Amino acid sequence: MRDPICGMTVDPASAAGESAFEGTRYFFCGVSCKAKFDANPRQYLNGEAASTSAPTPPRVASLQFVARPAPAQAAAPRPPASPPPPAAEYTCPMHPEVVRPGPGACPKCGMALEPRVIVSAEEPPNPELVRMTRAFVVCTVLAVPLVAVSMTHGGAAGGSRAWIEFALATPVVLWGGAPFFARAWDSLRSRTPNMFTLIALGTGSAYGLSLVALVAPQVLPATFRGQAARPPTYFESAAVITTLVLLGQVLELRARRRTGAAIRALLGLAPRTARRVRADGSDEDVGLELIAVGDVLRVRPGEKIPVDGVVVEGTSAVDESMLTGESLPVVKALRDAVLGGTLNGSGSFLLRADRVGADSVLSQIVRLVGEAQRSRAPLQRVADRVAAWFVPAVVVVALLTFAAWSLWGPEPRLATAFVNAVAVLIVACPCALGLATPMAIMVGTGRGAQAGVLVRHAEGLEMLAQVDTLVIDKTGTLTEGKPRVEACIAAPGHTDEEVLRFAAALERASEHPLAAAVLDAAQTRQLKIPAAGAFESLAGNGIRGTVEGHRVLAGTPEFLQSAGIDIDALAARLADSQSAARSIVLVAIDGVAAGFLSIADPIKESAAEALAELRREGIAVVLATGDNEGTANAVAKALGIDTVHARALPQDKAEIVARLQAAGHRVAMAGDGVNDAPALARADVGIAMGTGTDVALHTAAVTLVRGDLRGIVRARHLARATVRNVRQNLFWAFLYNVLGVPVAAGVLYPFTGWLLSPMLASAAMSLSSVSVIANALRLRRTPL
């Protein structure tokens, strides 16, 4: 039978428990699986009662990268077709809290909304970009002759030339600029003035004043005309400003489109079809959406792996670099997990589908990256505070500019004052300030996903750049996390097989990395593993329960001693194993020490290189492990770690992090187990190994898909590059406005006689936003 929770093969005669649901009996490897099933059976059966011979394994909706192995079987009954995906939602890059059911403009800042989640590798047409491009082309066709007419002093005489300008400018301002006026009106209604408020004020004033000067020039004061017979018109300024703003919108939308390139590249990894093996052994090509959990698929040389699963036949080397960032292929053999979207090498193998559709690792990565891209970094608060008063302040500056030039400017004073006030309104662009942070976060998190670094939120990325201390777990983090039993030592009166069999009975219900080693050793010896009852796990210490009527404890020497069990008879052999950097699982039966298991867990090949690089960057490394002093010190010595905390319980690890924080350090915690979750949550940045448990993955701010420690180095490089990019963007956005507004107001005129044309101000304003996005896009080429 197959456990519907974890997928492990279970012998009904020795199962840890069973439950009945809708007339079907299900058997479980451990009491924890039974408890999960009893709480919500439909969650694990997808609402479908599977047959007793082959219960359908669950669709696990969590980010779990290592599947438990199960032997090859015929495909389980396929679940019903999944419901259609929900309608796409659109959100604002600067205000992720704004969510709309379709495309449009943000009511707060006026920016074009974009899809909240990218669901397709193919980029659909952007209706806003299409509309803006069309408007820009038409307005350019009209604005070019308009400028030529305005610069020509011959041809149309007097007022006739102004009427030609009016005819050319009106469709540009009123049709091409209509979206800007609509967004400005929305900003006034929502009391959130933005860049479109300023654009509408500037272009509307220029066009309106020109219309008055054309139709009823007598209503304007003489100071508008100076020595001229008629007051000047500004049709060309209004039209050119509108056209340049449209150009800026087109360039901005095109640049923003490229920020989703990383997610689209990830989505493009999945093949469209898969080769499913029928019950008679023949193959059929089917669409990926038709693959169900339990299907057996054939992967041939050079093909992309279609879904997440477990190898059930054959062997090959798989290139996982597209998901993990690791360039070297990984050998996959029987019972090894493979990920959808990765590239098969020269071998051929069969895999059993374990996670399909939205449950696959690739889909989970895309979802996490999308959520991270919409999160807000602490640095964004600076821009938010400035933007809150920026537009009103610009309007005040424009009014003061108009007043000053009206009083002390050259003739015609009012006309000069008006031009300078319009230039101030146009040049001030808070959009660049608002885009500075979200654009960098969007590109940075996408770049991280391509390198196997998943960031859950922008705050974690920003904090990682400031970290100066790394607290790191041992098992599964510094070591492979695939320990193996090297020796089983029995106390007098007990046998090796008895110790191993009773330990395996308890460990079957445990999630500790050492549990798998104990179970593998028992299965290798072909021992019949009895069922365990009254199971209880004490994280960081050990486990206990009843096996065949006996009270059994398994765990650390301290755990057994705290239970009043004498382990002196095993002390000498224990010391030998501990000095050889072995992990120890002591077993007691009915209050008497029965023996222990000596378990070795090799250090990861990448650990020494990664820690050396972190130390070169000035990061102190602290080892905190629940293992004994001998094992902890041996691993620390091999890796050059000076500070070691052995026999650390989960609360101890969290306390170690808290003490370092109290001393003024910025602390990151790296771990992969349930016992690391409190410390991961307590740290400034939690870093989870992708091969770890669900609890660790959901607690951490950063997840390393492969679990390779070099991923920490890559994550830190990414964090520092992203934060540096944000600061560059904020600096240039601030500098642009700090310099642009005074220049537009005319502070250089007394010294140089130079004034900023509203048309040049419009070009500068549009290019400022584009430059911020272009700088953010440089993160796509950041070496990690």
Side-chain angles (χ1 to χ4, degrees):
M1 315 297 277
R2 196 158 62 202
D3 187 323
I5 303 300
C6 65
M8 286 188 64
T9 302
V10 180
D11 182 355
S14 60
E18 66 176 273
S19 294
F21 179 69
E22 295 183 349
T24 302
R25 296 168 63 201
Y26 299 93
F27 297 88
F28 306 92
C29 68
V31 292
S32 62
C33 286
K34 182 180 184 302
K36 292 178 181 178
F37 181 86
D38 290 342
N40 189 357
R42 292 190 184 278
Q43 174 184 352
Y44 300 98
L45 299 177
N46 296 311
E48 175 185 359
S51 66
T52 55
S53 61
T56 303
R59 292 185 176 223
V60 183
S62 59
L63 189 62
Q64 181 67 37
F65 295 95
V66 177
R68 294 180 184 245
Q73 298 182 7
R78 283 186 285 279
S82 57
E89 293 181 327
Y90 284 72
T91 186
C92 173
M94 289 170 55
H95 300 93
E97 69 277 8
V98 174
V99 179
R100 295 289 185 270
C106 174
K108 291 187 175 182
C109 66
M111 289 185 64
L113 303 180
E114 54 190 33
R116 192 176 190 180
V117 178
I118 296 175
V119 296
S120 172
E122 297 178 358
E123 187 171 1
N126 184 331
E128 188 70 13
L129 178 58
V130 172
R131 184 163 51 249
M132 290 291 181
T133 302
R134 182 173 60 247
F136 169 68
V137 171
V138 173
C139 291
T140 301
V141 171
L142 295 173
V144 169
L146 172 60
V147 173
V149 169
S150 68
M151 297 176 63
T152 302
H153 296 284
S160 61
R161 188 182 63 191
W163 283 101
I164 295 174
E165 293 177 2
F166 165 74
L168 293 171
T170 297
V172 174
V173 175
L174 300 186
W175 175 76
F180 309 147
F181 289 106
R183 295 175 187 184
W185 176 246
D186 289 340
S187 73
L188 295 176
R189 287 196 306 173
S190 62
R191 298 180 182 178
T192 53
N194 53 51
M195 65 169 285
F196 295 103
T197 311
L198 302 179
I199 292 170
L201 283 173
T203 56
S205 299
Y207 180 82
L209 181 62
S210 300
L211 186 60
V212 172
L214 178 64
V215 177
Q218 67 277 5
V219 304
L220 295 177
T223 49
F224 256 104
R225 294 191 295 270
Q227 301 300 318
R230 300 175 61 89
T233 58
Y234 305 98
F235 289 120
E236 81 285 358
S237 294
V240 171
I241 289 171
T242 301
T243 304
L244 289 173
V245 173
L246 285 170
L247 173 61
Q249 290 292 293
V250 170
L251 294 175
E252 179 184 316
L253 288 168
R254 286 183 175 177
R256 281 167 54 187
R257 185 174 57 181
R258 294 165 62 190
T259 61
I263 292 184
R264 297 193 189 281
L266 289 172
L267 287 169
L269 295 177
R272 296 180 181 274
T273 61
R275 186 169 288 101
R276 186 165 60 196
V277 180
R278 299 189 182 99
D280 61 3
S282 61
D283 296 350
E284 61 175 339
D285 288 336
V286 297
L288 204 61
E289 68 279 2
L290 299 179
I291 299 300
V293 172
D295 282 351
V296 176
L297 310 176
R298 187 182 306 279
V299 182
R300 297 188 299 189
E303 291 182 336
K304 288 183 178 179
I305 296 173
V307 297
D308 298 356
V310 173
V311 176
V312 295
E313 181 183 309
T315 181
S316 184
V318 175
D319 180 2
E320 297 181 336
S321 60
M322 55 285 295
L323 289 183
T324 66
E326 299 300 326
S327 57
L328 295 178
V330 181
V331 176
K332 300 292 182 179
L334 185 65
R335 297 184 179 180
D336 284 339
V338 291
L339 302 179
T342 55
L343 184 63
N344 184 30
S346 58
S348 178
F349 60 89
L350 299 181
L351 70 88
R352 187 196 67 237
D354 277 0
R355 291 178 298 276
V356 300
D359 296 336
S360 69
V361 169
L362 180 59
S363 295
Q364 297 285 357
I365 289 175
V366 170
R367 179 181 59 81
L368 285 175
V369 174
E371 291 175 356
Q373 289 185 336
R374 303 303 174 198
S375 61
R376 297 174 71 82
L379 279 172
Q380 180 68 24
R381 290 194 290 265
V382 177
D384 290 343
R385 285 195 295 268
V386 173
W389 56 261
F390 186 81
V391 173
V394 169
V395 174
V396 171
V397 172
L399 292 174
L400 292 175
T401 299
F402 183 84
W405 283 92
S406 298
L407 294 174
W408 302 297
E411 293 293 346
R413 284 183 294 177
L414 286 183
T416 305
F418 176 77
V419 170
N420 290 336
V422 169
V424 169
L425 291 173
I426 297 299
V427 80
C429 179
C431 186
L433 199 59
L435 284 171
T437 301
M439 288 298 106
I441 294 299
M442 289 178 69
V443 180
T445 51
R447 176 68 182 95
Q450 292 176 320
V453 177
L454 303 185
V455 181
R456 293 186 67 86
H457 47 73
E459 182 177 3
L461 193 63
E462 183 175 331
M463 292 300 299
L464 185 57
Q466 305 172 27
V467 163
D468 58 23
T469 304
L470 173 66
V471 178
I472 195 165
D473 176 47
K474 181 182 74 69
T475 305
T477 306
L478 289 175
T479 60
E480 293 287 350
K482 297 179 181 178
R484 55 182 178 270
V485 176
E486 291 203 336
C488 181
I489 310 299
H494 298 274
T495 65
D496 294 355
E497 289 191 353
E498 179 188 23
V499 172
L500 180 57
R501 195 165 60 89
F502 276 49
L506 288 184
E507 296 287 8
R508 185 160 55 180
S510 172
E511 290 186 337
H512 195 279
L514 297 183
V518 177
L519 289 172
D520 283 344
Q523 292 172 355
T524 300
R525 296 193 185 192
Q526 299 183 339
L527 299 180
K528 183 177 180 180
I529 303 174
F535 176 83
E536 184 180 0
S537 175
L538 303 172
N541 283 308
I543 51 181
R544 59 190 173 198
T546 58
V547 181
E548 297 181 343
H550 299 281
R551 293 182 293 108
V552 181
L553 281 74
T556 64
E558 292 74 23
F559 175 54
L560 267 65
Q561 287 175 328
S562 67
I565 297 172
D566 183 7
I567 62 172
D568 288 345
L570 298 168
R573 302 292 298 273
L574 280 173
D576 291 340
S577 293
Q578 291 173 339
S579 63
R582 300 293 185 260
S583 296
I584 302 299
V585 176
L586 268 164
V587 180
I589 303 175
D590 292 328
V592 177
F596 69 90
L597 306 176
S598 178
I599 302 176
D601 187 6
I603 295 174
K604 292 181 178 179
E605 293 182 3
S606 62
E609 175 188 344
L611 295 185
E613 177 64 24
L614 290 171
R615 281 192 291 268
R616 281 194 294 270
E617 294 189 3
I619 297 179
V621 181
V622 177
L623 174 61
T625 176
D627 222 327
N628 60 77
E629 287 88 348
T631 302
N633 288 328
V635 171
K637 182 178 180 181
L639 296 175
I641 301 175
D642 297 326
T643 306
V644 180
H645 298 274
R647 304 186 188 279
L649 302 176
Q651 60 268 29
D652 297 330
K653 294 182 180 181
E655 178 59 28
I656 291 168
V657 171
R659 287 201 304 268
L660 289 167
Q661 290 172 325
H665 295 286
R666 293 284 189 181
V667 183
M669 169 68 194
D672 75 326
V674 174
N675 57 343
D676 298 318
L680 289 170
R682 183 68 179 83
D684 296 294
V685 182
I687 303 173
M689 301 295 111
T691 50
T693 62
D694 286 351
V695 175
L697 295 167
H698 284 275
T699 305
V702 177
T703 298
L704 309 180
V705 176
R706 180 75 181 276
D708 189 325
L709 283 177
R710 285 172 295 193
I712 299 179
V713 179
R714 289 196 292 269
R716 179 161 168 82
H717 289 170
L718 173 68
R720 295 178 69 179
T722 303
V723 170
R724 183 167 57 248
N725 192 279
V726 169
R727 288 174 175 162
Q728 290 169 353
N729 284 346
L730 288 174
F731 171 78
W732 289 113
F734 275 120
L735 183 65
Y736 164 80
N737 286 292
V738 167
L739 296 179
V741 172
V743 169
V747 295
L748 297 180
Y749 182 80
F751 310 102
T752 64
W754 185 75
L755 292 175
L756 182 63
S757 162
M759 291 182 283
L760 289 177
S762 176
M765 179 272 296
S766 298
L767 291 176
S768 67
S769 297
V770 176
S771 65
V772 164
I773 299 175
N775 188 51
L777 289 173
R778 292 192 307 112
L779 286 171
R780 298 192 305 172
R781 300 187 297 273
T782 300
L784 297 180

